[in-house]
Amino acid sequence: MSQYIVARLRVEHRPDALGIQNASPRLSWCIEGDGAASQRAYEVRMTRADSSIEVARIERPEQILVRWPFAALNSREAVTVDVRVELTDGTVTSWSPSLTIEAGLLDASDWKAQFISPSLTAGHDAPRPAALMRTEFRSDDHVIKARLYATAHGIYSMTLNGVPVGDQELTPGWTSYGHRLRYQVYDVTQLIAVGDNAIGAQLADGWYRGRLGFHGGVWDNYGTHVALLAQLEFETADGTRSVVPITERWRFAPGPVLAAGLYDGETFDARLEPSGWDRAGFDDSGWQVPHLVEAPSQTARLEASVSPPVRVVEVLAPVTIQPASPGRVRVDFGQNIAGRLAIRVRGEAGHTVRLHHAEVLEHGELAVRPLRTAPSVDSYTLRGDPQGESWTPTFSIHGFRYAELENWPGTIGRDDVQALVMHTDMERTGWFDSSSPLLDRLHENVVWSMRGNFVDLPTDCPQRDERLGWTGDIQVFAPAATFLYDCAGLLDNWLQDLAAEQSADGHVPNFVPWIACGFPVESSAAWGDAATIVPWVLYERTGDAEVLQRQYISMARWVDHLAAMADGGLIRSGFQLGDWLDPAAPSDSPADGVTDKYLVANAYLVRSARIVAETARILGNLNDEARYRELATQTENAFRSEYVTSEGRLSNETVTSISLALTFDLLQVPADRAHAGERLAGLVAEGGYRVQTGFVGTPIVCDALVAAGAVDTAYRLLLEEACPSWLYPVTMGATTIWERWDSMLPDGSINPGEMTSFNHYAFGAVADFMHRVVAGLAPASLGYRTIRIAPKPGKVLRHASARLRTPYGVAESRWKRRDNDFTLDILIPIGTSAEIVLPDAGATVHHLEAGSHRLTCSLQDSASANRPTCSTELTAPNSP
Ligand code: BGC
């Protein structure tokens, strides 16, 4: 028996494989075992529905996103695959647990159904009702396989015989609907009865037609009518295949959801829900016939999702329930989240309970000003069930820690109200801890801000009238995000929209999907650079080379766009957001920080041009490679002529500008780099170790300090608690990352700025530094195939660790120090190797293969832990 097993067989970036759009999906797997051998060859075995088997043997070491070795799948085709591998020590594993892969509807002609639209009166200035829709069908025999394919213009929820068809929320999610609309595939085999069956649907505005954006927002962004597209296909035991396009027989009527808006909340009157409407036999003769909307092929491309769905992923019980202002009960869940309340209430028919949400309290009251024009109030009118009734909204989502229940009938217990945490159901992959409880809470806050904002797409915030896919925010946060969760599918999906919405001249909207709600259309540096940087981060961290291939045109166009904006080799004018939210910027003008906006723009131009050149090289496009390298070099030279003085100093010497120059490698002369490093450490010290950076400088300042040899300065900055700093919000009780360094002022009042969220991940980008440098776990080659473990312990922390489920398996770097003794325990998964640099002056690189290893050294002079002399003992590879 082999001591190795093949585990975690996966397809593309999805944890499940029901309804994939890719007919030749890529496969990945991990090899687990206690030896250090790696894969020499693999076999993929595919079993078709007719039990025929095909096996492909490939003599290659790759195990991540390998090509589909068989003929492309047909629409609806389901196969099972399993994998076994032969290792370099000659052993062969047994077959892995098998994975069923089922293709979706791959061709537009597979859709027999048409969009159907309920024509409920739709005003334009208030949240609109959701329609109830229903149809019936018969099955004359026992069903052995049934699939429901569904999507909507709007947000839909569906039931079959009264049972929800799945646990997905906010379907079909938000994409650039003019280009791409995702459909969902549900296995409803168990829900169909022999005889008459009913399908029920509820359909609300959602992103399609609901209000989106700030300054009052914009309605009807994608169309004036919501519509449902649903196709049920089933096979019965006697071999009959039925396709129920569910078009003509649908009926609709107004229902209990009187109003539903993502920002506004949901108004539900339970008295208006017709009893049994979603069951067979209901008399819908008084209901209306929906009208047909144009065939799906004439609208956006229909695609199965490449990302996991949004789900309720956790349920929080109240930490406290207390009386609040007259008529209200306040509930504190102890954690700022994105999600909804679930209530259980008993009272008289017609009694209405209102649910208010807020992230923080101010002067003892719910702070709702930061929500701006997103009231976030749900309202439930009881049907009067003496047994009590349970409710949660379906079409809204809020960012909150506190809720106030207004007009609650009778007493309320802990079980009567819960907070449902919702986000894209990504697998957690990364963890960090250290000897500093405040730093650990900061990290936890980053995790929660990612959870609050990875709701189908990467948004800025979950609570106010935005929740938009701001490009700059994810550009800076992507490295941290890809460590914490497997978000490759979500980002992959979003990048497709970015490319779809990019104009032919390369302009990238500042948020994607774009809504024309008054924000300048011109692209800004660091925001539009998401076009190059996010694909690059995905490539580096997940090993997905196809993402580069697919995004290449978008990446190159963005750089061409920048080059066309340049005047004399540099960008010198035009709209820029600069080092957004630098603490020195006026609170009502966050782009006006101390760092020259065009310096930022030009630094990013160099970085993006280099990324495109490198991508062209990887893709074998040598002409492009030369062209973009030349552009990068010319811009770099122009940058130096413009911004570096003859004494080798940056003309606009700020923490952000120097951090850019150092981390983007923009200074050529070693003396200039040394000088810049000293100035950076000096500026940080002069600033009392308070943060002096915005969106651009914050993710890189600690790296720049470490590159300059100022490790202890980086730690002082990271561990500073006075405002502005990363830990200040933690000392103020924050449970998420705030948008502003001082979203809450030290006296507990809220920053008067009109833009003050308490759940914005951008400043949490520093988590990447915590993983890569504090704990010391970083990718050294594609998808962590080679791992670099090089912790920089500094003087203050006693221990730190990072644990990551890489595409190959779990890797870990865990160090501790006692006086002068430094111990590093590492774990390297099979299929990878690691280069390890202990914190010694010599920076010797040790190479180790898969297994657990312990390395020790002595920090002989702990007072100067930046440059300790270090003696290294390596235990044998693979020792426990
Ligand atoms: C968003 C930010 C965004 C910025 C750019 C804000 O309103 O919340 O995170 O990047 O605008 O203008």
Side-chain angles (χ1 to χ4, degrees):
M1 263 297 271
S2 166
Q3 57 189 323
Y4 300 97
I5 57 163
V6 174
R8 297 175 60 78
L9 180 58
R10 341 188 258 293
V11 59
E12 292 294 332
H13 293 298
R14 281 179 48 164
D16 75 275
L18 175 62
I20 51 172
Q21 201 66 25
N22 189 337
S24 300
R26 297 167 299 168
L27 300 170
S28 309
W29 54 87
C30 297
I31 301 169
E32 293 174 358
D34 47 16
S38 57
Q39 177 181 301
R40 177 159 52 209
Y42 62 92
E43 285 173 276
V44 184
R45 179 170 67 178
M46 175 179 71
T47 311
R48 295 181 192 278
D50 64 4
S51 302
S52 63
I53 293 179
E54 259 182 78
V55 178
R57 180 181 164 86
I58 288 122
E59 311 263 338
R60 300 279 316 163
E62 284 81 26
Q63 56 183 94
I64 303 305
L65 297 167
V66 302
R67 277 169 193 274
W68 182 246
F70 308 109
L73 298 172
N74 297 315
S75 272
R76 308 174 180 86
E77 185 174 2
V79 295
T80 59
V81 290
D82 40 15
V83 169
R84 71 177 174 193
V85 308
E86 182 185 320
L87 291 123
T88 44
D89 67 0
T91 56
V92 177
T93 66
S94 49
W95 290 102
S96 68
S98 59
L99 173 72
T100 300
I101 300 175
E102 184 173 315
L105 300 183
L106 303 184
D107 198 280
S109 64
D110 292 320
W111 287 93
K112 307 298 174 214
Q114 275 180 279
F115 278 97
I116 47 171
S117 177
S119 324
L120 290 180
T121 4
H124 282 274
D125 47 8
R128 295 175 278 211
L132 292 185
M133 304 177 78
R134 70 180 310 280
T135 192
E136 295 195 14
F137 66 96
R138 260 192 85 72
S139 172
D140 292 324
D141 199 353
H142 178 66
V143 167
I144 53 166
K145 180 176 177 180
R147 297 289 182 263
L148 175 68
Y149 303 91
T151 187
H153 290 165
I155 294 179
Y156 74 91
S157 75
M158 287 182 86
T159 56
L160 210 156
N161 294 329
V163 180
V165 295
D167 57 1
Q168 316 194 358
E169 299 285 350
L170 300 173
T171 46
W174 189 13
T175 45
S176 177
Y177 293 138
H179 299 97
R180 308 168 53 236
L181 177 63
R182 288 164 302 166
Y183 63 90
Q184 286 67 48
V185 185
Y186 304 96
D187 178 355
V188 290
T189 313
Q190 304 305 324
L191 302 185
I192 301 182
V194 178
D196 292 329
N197 293 272
I199 300 179
Q202 290 192 72
L203 184 59
D205 288 2
W207 296 276
Y208 188 85
R209 192 179 72 157
R211 176 168 63 96
L212 290 178
F214 33 85
H215 303 320
V218 181
W219 295 88
D220 299 341
N221 281 288
Y222 297 94
T224 52
H225 287 82
V226 288
L228 179 74
L229 177 70
Q231 180 162 308
L232 176 71
E233 304 191 359
F234 62 94
E235 280 171 48
T236 48
D238 64 3
T240 315
R241 273 196 72 224
S242 308
V243 177
V244 186
I246 326 174
T247 303
E248 313 84 20
R249 278 176 292 175
W250 279 90
R251 294 289 180 275
F252 78 92
V257 178
L258 297 177
L262 287 160
Y263 296 164
D264 293 86
E266 185 169 315
T267 303
F268 190 99
D269 188 338
R271 295 170 302 176
L272 303 178
E273 181 163 23
S275 169
W277 72 275
D278 50 3
R279 310 287 172 139
F282 176 81
D283 176 11
D284 60 13
S285 52
W287 289 34
Q288 301 177 62
V289 180
H291 66 265
L292 295 182
V293 180
E294 69 266 52
S297 57
Q298 291 168 311
T299 61
R301 201 167 64 236
L302 288 168
E303 297 172 8
S305 184
V306 294
S307 156
V310 174
R311 290 197 174 97
V312 172
V313 289
E314 192 175 339
V315 177
L316 302 182
V319 176
T320 59
I321 302 182
Q322 284 170 338
S325 53
R328 289 188 179 199
V329 182
R330 179 176 305 150
V331 188
D332 175 5
F333 291 98
Q335 175 62 54
N336 197 19
I337 63 160
R340 298 172 181 147
L341 292 178
I343 57 166
R344 205 183 59 188
V345 61
R346 189 158 48 170
E348 285 177 15
H351 185 95
T352 298
V353 178
R354 271 179 294 281
L355 317 177
H356 303 258
H357 305 77
E359 297 187 291
V360 288
L361 303 178
E362 185 181 30
H363 311 309
E365 298 295 331
L366 289 190
V368 292
R369 181 176 55 86
L371 304 179
R372 302 195 307 215
T373 69
S376 305
V377 180
D378 297 320
S379 146
Y380 181 73
T381 301
L382 281 71
R383 85 176 77 86
D385 187 336
Q387 304 303 316
E389 39 207 286
S390 299
W391 181 72
T392 188
T394 307
F395 300 109
S396 198
I397 177 166
H398 310 292
F400 66 101
R401 166 180 168 166
Y402 298 93
E404 282 185 3
L405 317 177
E406 184 188 347
N407 205 23
W408 189 269
T411 54
I412 180 165
R414 277 189 93 232
D415 295 339
D416 294 332
V417 58
Q418 294 174 319
L420 309 182
V421 180
M422 288 166 61
H423 52 76
T424 294
D425 195 3
M426 309 163 289
E427 184 184 11
R428 179 84 191 260
T429 49
W431 294 265
F432 170 89
D433 73 50
S434 74
S435 55
S436 161
L438 288 180
L439 194 62
D440 289 359
R441 182 67 231 195
L442 172 71
H443 191 267
E444 190 61 11
N445 291 358
V446 178
V447 172
W448 274 105
S449 277
M450 175 164 178
R451 298 180 69 178
N453 282 295
F454 274 55
V455 181
D456 200 43
L457 69 156
T459 62
D460 55 337
C461 56
Q463 76 299 88
R464 69 175 179 230
D465 51 359
E466 285 200 57
R467 317 181 192 186
L468 302 172
W470 285 96
T471 47
D473 304 40
I474 189 58
Q475 185 271 113
V476 299
F477 190 65
T482 48
F483 183 96
L484 296 172
Y485 281 89
D486 179 357
C487 54
L490 179 143
L491 292 178
D492 187 282
N493 170 65
W494 180 78
L495 281 171
Q496 293 186 48
D497 280 347
L498 182 148
E501 296 206 340
Q502 192 172 10
S503 56
D505 72 353
H507 159 269
V508 173
N510 288 308
F511 52 85
V512 173
W514 174 252
I515 298 296
C517 61
F519 196 80
V521 287
E522 296 94 325
S523 315
S524 169
W527 272 251
D529 292 284
T532 51
I533 294 171
V534 177
W536 187 256
V537 169
L538 274 185
Y539 166 74
E540 237 181 26
R541 304 284 175 120
T542 71
D544 187 348
E546 251 178 41
V547 77
L548 290 186
Q549 186 138 30
R550 198 198 56 224
Q551 295 296 127
Y552 181 70
I553 293 176
S554 155
M555 296 166 80
R557 273 194 188 154
W558 166 245
V559 172
D560 293 346
H561 177 71
L562 296 178
M565 279 165 65
D567 164 14
L570 291 178
I571 299 169
R572 300 170 193 278
S573 61
F575 173 77
Q576 293 293 338
L577 292 164
D579 190 20
W580 182 255
L581 281 172
D582 146 4
S587 113
D588 58 353
S589 187
D592 293 326
V594 293
T595 303
D596 181 333
K597 291 174 185 167
Y598 299 107
L599 181 149
V600 171
N602 290 309
Y604 265 96
L605 170 51
V606 176
R607 174 136 194 245
S608 279
R610 285 187 195 145
I611 288 177
V612 173
E614 191 53 20
T615 305
R617 187 190 66 75
I618 292 162
L619 301 179
N621 187 341
L622 302 185
N623 289 341
D624 275 14
E625 182 197 353
R627 186 154 65 87
Y628 289 107
R629 269 210 212 291
E630 177 63 19
L631 174 66
T633 309
Q634 277 172 6
T635 315
E636 204 187 310
N637 291 336
F639 180 96
R640 280 193 291 270
S641 324
E642 182 83 7
Y643 301 113
V644 183
T645 66
S646 49
E647 296 84 49
R649 298 173 65 135
L650 279 170
S651 49
N652 168 231
E653 211 168 42
T654 69
V655 172
T656 291
S657 67
I658 302 178
S659 298
L660 281 169
L662 289 175
T663 56
F664 288 13
D665 202 13
L666 301 171
L667 303 174
Q668 211 171 19
V669 183
D672 291 355
R673 280 200 293 268
H675 178 81
E678 278 164 28
R679 276 305 291 150
L680 178 63
L683 283 178
V684 171
E686 282 162 31
Y689 302 96
R690 315 277 174 97
V691 164
Q692 301 174 52
T693 48
F695 273 33
V696 167
T698 299
I700 54 175
V701 55
C702 290
D703 275 302
L705 285 165
V706 168
V711 175
D712 289 326
T713 308
Y715 273 100
R716 283 195 69 173
L717 181 66
L718 180 64
L719 298 172
E720 175 59 47
E721 294 172 32
C723 185
S725 67
W726 279 289
L727 294 187
Y728 162 72
V730 178
T731 65
M732 294 291 286
T735 61
T736 35
I737 300 297
W738 295 348
E739 176 174 28
R740 295 176 183 268
W741 294 109
D742 56 353
S743 280
M744 182 175 283
L745 304 176
D747 66 2
S749 62
I750 293 177
N751 190 301
E754 165 263 0
M755 197 192 68
T756 307
S757 134
F758 290 85
N759 203 352
H760 248 68
Y761 50 58
F763 290 153
V766 71
D768 181 53
F769 175 80
M770 291 155 73
H771 308 142
R772 270 188 303 102
V773 183
V774 175
L777 180 62
S781 70
L782 196 52
Y784 291 87
R785 185 137 187 208
T786 324
I787 301 167
R788 184 174 173 84
I789 296 185
K792 301 270 190 228
K795 282 182 195 161
V796 182
L797 297 182
R798 308 309 301 164
H799 59 83
S801 77
R803 187 161 171 267
L804 174 69
R805 183 177 282 289
T806 72
Y808 295 87
V810 176
E812 188 165 328
S813 168
R814 175 177 295 277
W815 63 259
K816 62 174 188 251
R817 58 190 301 174
R818 183 172 299 164
D819 301 326
N820 288 336
D821 297 333
F822 182 84
T823 307
L824 176 64
D825 285 305
I826 64 175
L827 186 62
I828 309 169
I830 291 174
T832 70
S833 60
E835 43 184 62
I836 295 112
V837 185
L838 285 165
D840 63 352
T844 316
V845 180
H846 308 279
H847 294 276
L848 290 177
E849 301 299 320
S852 340
H853 311 269
R854 169 167 286 187
L855 296 87
T856 58
C857 69
S858 169
L859 306 174
Q860 284 169 358
D861 176 11
S862 60
S864 59
N866 277 344
R867 295 183 174 275
T869 38
C870 188
S871 56
T872 308
E873 289 168 30
L874 294 185
T875 53
N878 303 320
S879 61

